[in-house]
Short mmCIF file of all heavy atoms in Angstrom, two decimals:
data_model
loop_
_atom_site.label_atom_id
_atom_site.label_comp_id
_atom_site.label_asym_id
_atom_site.label_seq_id
_atom_site.Cartn_x
_atom_site.Cartn_y
_atom_site.Cartn_z
N LEU Z 70 -7.57 8.89 6.34
CA LEU Z 70 -7.45 9.78 7.48
C LEU Z 70 -7.76 9.03 8.80
O LEU Z 70 -8.69 8.26 8.85
CB LEU Z 70 -8.34 11.04 7.35
CG LEU Z 70 -7.89 12.03 6.30
CD1 LEU Z 70 -8.89 13.14 6.28
CD2 LEU Z 70 -6.53 12.60 6.61
N LYS Z 71 -6.99 9.32 9.79
CA LYS Z 71 -7.17 8.76 11.15
C LYS Z 71 -6.90 7.25 11.19
O LYS Z 71 -7.20 6.61 12.15
CB LYS Z 71 -8.53 9.07 11.75
CG LYS Z 71 -8.73 10.53 11.87
CD LYS Z 71 -9.94 10.83 12.75
CE LYS Z 71 -10.05 12.34 12.93
NZ LYS Z 71 -10.67 12.74 14.10
N GLN Z 72 -6.23 6.69 10.16
CA GLN Z 72 -5.88 5.30 10.11
C GLN Z 72 -4.65 5.14 11.09
O GLN Z 72 -3.69 5.94 10.96
CB GLN Z 72 -5.56 4.80 8.75
CG GLN Z 72 -5.33 3.36 8.63
CD GLN Z 72 -5.31 2.86 7.16
OE1 GLN Z 72 -5.45 3.63 6.21
NE2 GLN Z 72 -5.14 1.59 7.01
N LYS Z 73 -4.66 4.13 11.87
CA LYS Z 73 -3.62 3.94 12.86
C LYS Z 73 -2.44 3.12 12.23
O LYS Z 73 -2.70 2.12 11.54
CB LYS Z 73 -4.11 3.29 14.10
CG LYS Z 73 -5.06 4.16 14.90
CD LYS Z 73 -5.60 3.46 16.11
CE LYS Z 73 -6.44 4.33 17.02
NZ LYS Z 73 -7.37 5.21 16.36
N VAL Z 74 -1.22 3.58 12.48
CA VAL Z 74 -0.04 2.92 11.94
C VAL Z 74 1.02 2.85 13.04
O VAL Z 74 0.97 3.56 14.04
CB VAL Z 74 0.55 3.64 10.72
CG1 VAL Z 74 -0.47 3.66 9.59
CG2 VAL Z 74 0.95 5.06 11.07
N LEU Z 75 2.07 1.97 12.79
CA LEU Z 75 3.21 1.82 13.63
C LEU Z 75 4.38 2.32 12.82
O LEU Z 75 4.63 1.84 11.70
CB LEU Z 75 3.46 0.40 14.11
CG LEU Z 75 2.55 -0.16 15.16
CD1 LEU Z 75 2.90 -1.63 15.34
CD2 LEU Z 75 2.72 0.62 16.44
N ILE Z 76 5.18 3.21 13.36
CA ILE Z 76 6.43 3.74 12.75
C ILE Z 76 7.49 3.54 13.83
O ILE Z 76 7.42 4.21 14.88
CB ILE Z 76 6.34 5.19 12.25
CG1 ILE Z 76 5.17 5.33 11.29
CG2 ILE Z 76 7.68 5.61 11.62
CD1 ILE Z 76 4.92 6.83 10.98
N ASN Z 77 8.49 2.72 13.58
CA ASN Z 77 9.51 2.46 14.57
C ASN Z 77 8.98 2.03 15.89
O ASN Z 77 9.42 2.51 16.94
CB ASN Z 77 10.45 3.66 14.71
CG ASN Z 77 11.22 3.98 13.48
OD1 ASN Z 77 11.46 3.11 12.63
ND2 ASN Z 77 11.53 5.27 13.23
N THR Z 78 8.00 1.20 15.90
CA THR Z 78 7.27 0.65 17.05
C THR Z 78 6.49 1.66 17.83
O THR Z 78 5.85 1.36 18.88
CB THR Z 78 8.24 -0.06 18.05
OG1 THR Z 78 9.05 0.83 18.68
CG2 THR Z 78 9.04 -1.14 17.35
N PHE Z 79 6.31 2.93 17.40
CA PHE Z 79 5.50 3.91 18.00
C PHE Z 79 4.17 4.07 17.25
O PHE Z 79 4.15 3.98 16.03
CB PHE Z 79 6.21 5.30 18.04
CG PHE Z 79 7.48 5.29 18.86
CD1 PHE Z 79 8.70 5.52 18.28
CD2 PHE Z 79 7.44 5.05 20.23
CE1 PHE Z 79 9.90 5.49 18.97
CE2 PHE Z 79 8.59 5.04 20.96
CZ PHE Z 79 9.81 5.27 20.36
N LYS Z 80 3.12 4.32 17.97
CA LYS Z 80 1.76 4.44 17.32
C LYS Z 80 1.53 5.81 16.91
O LYS Z 80 1.78 6.80 17.59
CB LYS Z 80 0.69 4.02 18.36
CG LYS Z 80 0.68 2.57 18.64
CD LYS Z 80 -0.49 2.17 19.50
CE LYS Z 80 -0.48 0.68 19.81
NZ LYS Z 80 -1.61 0.24 20.57
N TYR Z 81 1.02 5.96 15.66
CA TYR Z 81 0.69 7.21 15.05
C TYR Z 81 -0.69 7.11 14.36
O TYR Z 81 -1.16 6.01 14.05
CB TYR Z 81 1.73 7.62 13.98
CG TYR Z 81 3.06 8.04 14.59
CD1 TYR Z 81 4.02 7.06 14.66
CD2 TYR Z 81 3.35 9.34 14.94
CE1 TYR Z 81 5.28 7.36 15.22
CE2 TYR Z 81 4.55 9.65 15.42
CZ TYR Z 81 5.53 8.69 15.60
OH TYR Z 81 6.77 9.03 16.12
N GLU Z 82 -1.27 8.21 14.01
CA GLU Z 82 -2.48 8.31 13.36
C GLU Z 82 -2.28 9.14 12.06
O GLU Z 82 -1.69 10.27 12.21
CB GLU Z 82 -3.55 8.93 14.21
CG GLU Z 82 -4.91 8.94 13.69
CD GLU Z 82 -5.98 9.49 14.71
OE1 GLU Z 82 -5.96 10.70 14.88
OE2 GLU Z 82 -6.58 8.68 15.36
N TYR Z 83 -2.63 8.63 10.89
CA TYR Z 83 -2.43 9.42 9.66
C TYR Z 83 -3.27 10.65 9.71
O TYR Z 83 -4.49 10.59 9.89
CB TYR Z 83 -2.74 8.53 8.44
CG TYR Z 83 -2.56 9.23 7.12
CD1 TYR Z 83 -1.37 9.65 6.71
CD2 TYR Z 83 -3.68 9.41 6.30
CE1 TYR Z 83 -1.13 10.29 5.50
CE2 TYR Z 83 -3.51 10.05 5.08
CZ TYR Z 83 -2.26 10.45 4.71
OH TYR Z 83 -2.12 11.07 3.49
N ALA Z 84 -2.68 11.82 9.41
CA ALA Z 84 -3.40 13.10 9.44
C ALA Z 84 -3.49 13.77 8.07
O ALA Z 84 -3.97 14.88 7.95
CB ALA Z 84 -2.75 14.00 10.50
#
Side-chain angles (χ1 to χ4, degrees):
L70 286 178
K71 299 195 177 205
Q72 188 168 2
K73 291 179 177 41
V74 297
L75 286 176
I76 304 173
N77 296 333
T78 69
F79 297 114
K80 290 185 180 182
Y81 291 92
E82 186 176 78
Y83 178 65

